[in-house]
Amino acid sequence: MSDTLTPDVIGRRVEVNGENATVRFAGVVPPLAGPWLGVEWDNPERGKHDGSHEGTVYFKCRHPTGGSFIRPNKVNFGTDFLTAIKNRYVLEDGPEEDRKEQIVTLGNKPVETVGFDSLMKQQSQLSKLQEVSLRNCAVSCAGEKGEVAEACPNIRRVDLSKNLLSSWDEVIHIADQLRHLEVLNLSENKLKFPSGSALTGTFSALKVLVLNQTGITWAEVLRCAAWCPGLEELYLESNNIVISGRPTDVLQTVKLLDLSSNQLIDENQLYLIAHLPRLEQLILSDIGISSIHFPDAGIGCKTSMFPSLQYLVVNDNQISQWSFFNELDKLPSLRALSCLRNPLTKEDKEANATRQLIIASIGQLKTLNKCEILPKERQTAELDYRKAFGNEWKQAGGHQDPDKNRLSEEFLTAHPRYQFLCLKYGAPEDWELKTQQPFMLKNQLLTLKIKYPDQLDQKVLEKQLPGSMTIQKVKGWLSRLLRVPVSDLLLSYESPKEPGIEIKLENDLQSLRFYSVENEDCLLVRW
């Protein structure tokens, strides 16, 4: 750029040696001669001061080292949309082909042309483009009116992330020429909103809008959404958004909403978007949430909030209470959940037990942390849950006879699905609720009889096994002993105290003692 400054330079986005900034000042900075630009860097570590020089404040920065003064000829103000596309996508011809002469007829007059093939090839290439990625290509404006529509009429998907766009006016001028535009990524641009309303139908075909790290506010989100009547996916990651109003006439078609890394969002703000009728996927990773409640739904009931929500992502939050998952069971359409890297779900030796508890707490869940929940896993999880809290259930007034059940409100609040599990599998019997012996050396080894009900030629074996031994390891030992594949083995046990009752050992990750296996019990092996 030349040293001549124009009044409209303030607010423009610029690039200097690979770093982006916003122009905050243009003029003279005494005692230094000549014109200067005062810029606020996107990366405050790139700057030197807060916009002042020798005691005079020329502009203000959000960070004390976010500003610099730069000569205008050192600044790149960017390029227009169509030029960026040509630079990125048009194949360059060699010098010989550029010089090739050709005679063409325009009307009745023959005309000699140079490079005509090259021009036709460029136009053909551009007209076929449907997907354009111009990330970090210094795009700052739309260019001449009508040029984009003429050259690239079929573009449907555009990535304009991390460019030099400084206002929605320029975005509108681009989009207005792309009548088939369905996907638009404007992440990492700092966009001022237009003074007037947007052109009617500018984003009429748009289905996906990505506005991550743009500094957009919730009020601006709602204003922008009004331009996109058919919007289905909206990404708003890392914008410090505060949800300040209920979307009444906008966002009604949105199926996916990503609010990740907006640390100012809390539980009460989520109520404002809880009645979006078509919202199927909600991404709330890294917003600092620790609890959620649906006050309109009592124990065992479904909430009217988030009526269509099927997939919820709450990774990297502060979830540390099981009541969070109890509340999620109230969502009528929830089928998939991702809750990685929370205090309650960190990857450790208890990860499988945590997974089982979540499955048992949310009855309609089909996928957890992108892993399908098979019917067998759900049955095992629910049976284990029913047993694990059986003594607590009994102490809280639970009884095998439903007519004698007098469960406390405290227990029902902590375990809202327990009564349903009793109806599904039957109330836990007394023998299932045996108190396990203290974990002492003399109690670690169990003397068991090993029988093979379907293999009459196999002799009964007596063996001492650790009570802490998992079913998976027991199967591994039996596989080596019997030379039978582990996958073919089915285990159960009988207790002489409860003749005729056979207990299946279905969860490979649980221990013998978890199933209340005791000395002199009989391990039944089938394949």
Side-chain angles (χ1 to χ4, degrees):
M1 179 180 176
S2 68
D3 285 346
T4 303
L5 299 178
T6 56
D8 65 350
V9 76
I10 305 298
R12 291 278 299 276
R13 298 281 291 160
V14 295
E15 180 266 328
V16 184
N17 297 327
E19 295 276 358
N20 290 357
T22 303
V23 177
R24 301 297 186 196
F25 166 82
V28 179
V29 183
L32 303 174
W36 291 88
L37 293 177
V39 301
E40 181 179 8
W41 300 99
D42 290 1
N43 175 14
E45 296 180 0
R46 174 66 174 79
K48 297 180 179 179
H49 51 72
D50 62 355
S52 61
H53 179 67
E54 295 187 354
T56 301
V57 178
Y58 291 91
F59 62 98
K60 293 183 179 181
C61 293
R62 289 168 293 181
H63 194 277
T65 62
S68 295
F69 289 107
I70 298 177
R71 291 295 189 186
N73 60 0
K74 302 292 185 181
V75 170
N76 176 16
F77 277 86
T79 187
D80 64 86
F81 181 78
L82 186 57
T83 299
I85 288 180
K86 289 179 179 179
N87 291 340
R88 187 75 181 267
Y89 290 97
V90 172
L91 297 177
E92 294 185 1
D93 295 313
E96 291 185 3
E97 187 168 349
D98 285 341
R99 291 194 298 268
K100 187 187 296 183
E101 296 183 0
Q102 183 176 356
I103 304 298
V104 297
T105 301
L106 298 180
N108 297 319
K109 184 178 180 181
V111 178
E112 184 179 285
T113 67
V114 177
F116 189 79
D117 283 346
S118 176
L119 178 61
M120 293 297 292
K121 183 183 292 186
Q122 288 184 11
Q123 291 177 341
S124 175
Q125 288 172 334
L126 293 177
S127 66
K128 291 178 181 178
L129 283 176
Q130 291 193 15
E131 183 167 354
V132 170
S133 178
L134 297 177
R135 176 175 173 79
N136 204 19
C137 287
V139 177
S140 61
C141 62
E144 294 297 324
K145 186 176 181 180
E147 279 188 343
V148 175
E150 183 178 351
C152 315
N154 295 309
I155 291 178
R156 296 178 181 274
R157 295 172 292 277
V158 176
D159 182 357
L160 278 170
S161 59
K162 203 173 183 181
N163 276 284
L164 302 180
L165 294 164
S166 58
S167 75
W168 276 96
D169 286 315
E170 294 299 333
V171 175
I172 291 169
H173 292 156
I174 294 171
D176 193 44
Q177 300 179 66
L178 303 175
R179 293 299 184 181
H180 303 293
L181 186 63
E182 296 177 355
V183 179
L184 178 59
N185 186 349
L186 295 170
S187 298
E188 299 176 75
N189 287 284
K190 310 299 180 184
L191 301 170
K192 294 183 298 184
F193 268 71
S195 54
S197 59
L199 303 176
T200 304
T202 295
F203 299 99
S204 59
L206 197 68
K207 295 180 180 179
V208 180
L209 180 59
V210 187
L211 297 172
N212 300 332
Q213 300 181 59
T214 58
I216 195 169
T217 67
W218 185 248
E220 291 169 342
V221 168
L222 298 184
R223 183 177 174 186
C224 181
W227 309 338
C228 313
L231 193 63
E232 296 181 359
E233 298 182 16
L234 179 59
Y235 298 83
L236 299 169
E237 181 180 341
S238 301
N239 283 304
N240 288 321
I241 281 176
V242 173
I243 302 176
S244 54
R246 187 187 300 272
T248 52
D249 300 322
V250 295
L251 301 181
Q252 302 301 298
T253 58
V254 166
K255 297 180 180 179
L256 184 153
L257 179 59
D258 184 354
L259 293 168
S260 297
S261 301
N262 287 287
Q263 295 281 338
L264 300 178
I265 292 177
D266 60 26
E267 176 185 351
N268 291 326
Q269 293 176 41
L270 295 179
Y271 295 148
L272 295 174
I273 60 170
H275 296 284
L276 293 176
R278 299 186 185 178
L279 185 61
E280 297 176 358
Q281 299 182 54
L282 180 59
I283 305 175
L284 299 175
S285 295
D286 187 35
I287 66 169
I289 194 171
S290 61
S291 63
I292 193 167
H293 299 89
F294 301 111
D296 65 323
I299 295 172
C301 300
K302 298 299 182 184
T303 178
S304 62
M305 300 183 189
F306 298 103
S308 301
L309 187 61
Q310 299 178 22
Y311 182 32
L312 177 64
V313 180
V314 286
N315 299 331
D316 302 296
N317 279 293
Q318 302 300 319
I319 301 166
S320 59
Q321 301 295 325
W322 287 108
S323 57
F324 187 95
F325 300 102
N326 290 337
E327 286 296 306
L328 295 187
D329 187 54
K330 296 179 179 180
L331 292 169
S333 302
L334 188 66
R335 297 296 180 268
L337 172 68
S338 184
C339 54
L340 300 170
R341 298 177 297 278
N342 280 275
L344 203 59
T345 61
K346 287 182 177 177
E347 292 294 327
D348 55 23
K349 61 183 180 180
E350 302 296 333
N352 182 70
T354 300
R355 176 179 171 85
Q356 300 294 84
L357 285 170
I358 295 173
I359 292 171
S361 299
I362 308 175
Q364 68 273 25
L365 210 59
K366 301 295 183 184
T367 304
L368 177 57
N369 296 330
K370 297 187 177 181
C371 183
E372 182 183 4
I373 302 169
L374 298 175
K376 189 68 172 179
E377 183 181 17
R378 170 160 293 285
Q379 182 186 50
T380 300
E382 292 180 340
L383 286 171
D384 288 354
Y385 184 95
R386 170 179 160 275
K387 177 180 178 180
F389 296 99
N391 282 316
E392 188 177 335
W393 166 79
K394 192 172 182 180
Q395 293 168 7
H399 197 280
Q400 279 84 5
D401 184 349
D403 294 333
K404 297 181 180 180
N405 254 330
R406 299 293 185 271
L407 283 171
S408 68
E409 189 72 21
E410 182 181 2
F411 181 85
L412 290 172
T413 300
H415 307 282
R417 292 197 74 232
Y418 199 91
Q419 281 293 82
F420 171 79
L421 297 181
C422 288
L423 293 174
K424 185 175 181 179
Y425 300 107
E429 300 290 340
D430 290 340
W431 61 267
E432 293 183 87
L433 307 180
K434 292 180 291 186
T435 304
Q436 297 184 6
Q437 296 177 336
F439 190 74
M440 298 167 58
L441 182 60
K442 66 179 182 179
N443 295 324
Q444 289 186 26
L445 293 177
L446 302 174
T447 302
L448 304 176
K449 293 180 180 179
I450 314 293
K451 292 184 179 180
Y452 315 93
D454 299 336
Q455 310 292 330
L456 300 179
D457 57 331
Q458 294 279 358
K459 294 182 180 180
V460 176
L461 177 68
E462 189 169 287
K463 181 72 175 178
Q464 283 192 323
L465 298 175
S468 59
M469 192 172 187
T470 64
I471 305 306
Q472 187 176 47
K473 291 183 177 179
V474 173
K475 286 183 176 180
W477 168 69
L478 287 168
S479 174
R480 294 188 294 273
L481 176 69
L482 302 171
R483 297 183 179 179
V484 175
V486 171
S487 58
D488 292 347
L489 293 173
L490 299 174
L491 303 187
S492 58
Y493 83 95
E494 289 181 337
S495 171
K497 298 178 183 179
E498 301 285 346
I501 297 178
E502 185 175 334
I503 308 301
K504 293 181 180 180
L505 306 178
E506 297 179 312
N507 190 338
D508 287 351
L509 299 179
Q510 297 290 5
S511 67
L512 290 169
R513 199 168 295 284
F514 174 85
Y515 284 103
S516 301
V517 178
E518 297 180 338
N519 275 316
E520 306 305 324
D521 284 351
C522 183
L523 189 63
L524 304 176
V525 185
R526 295 181 174 86
W527 64 89

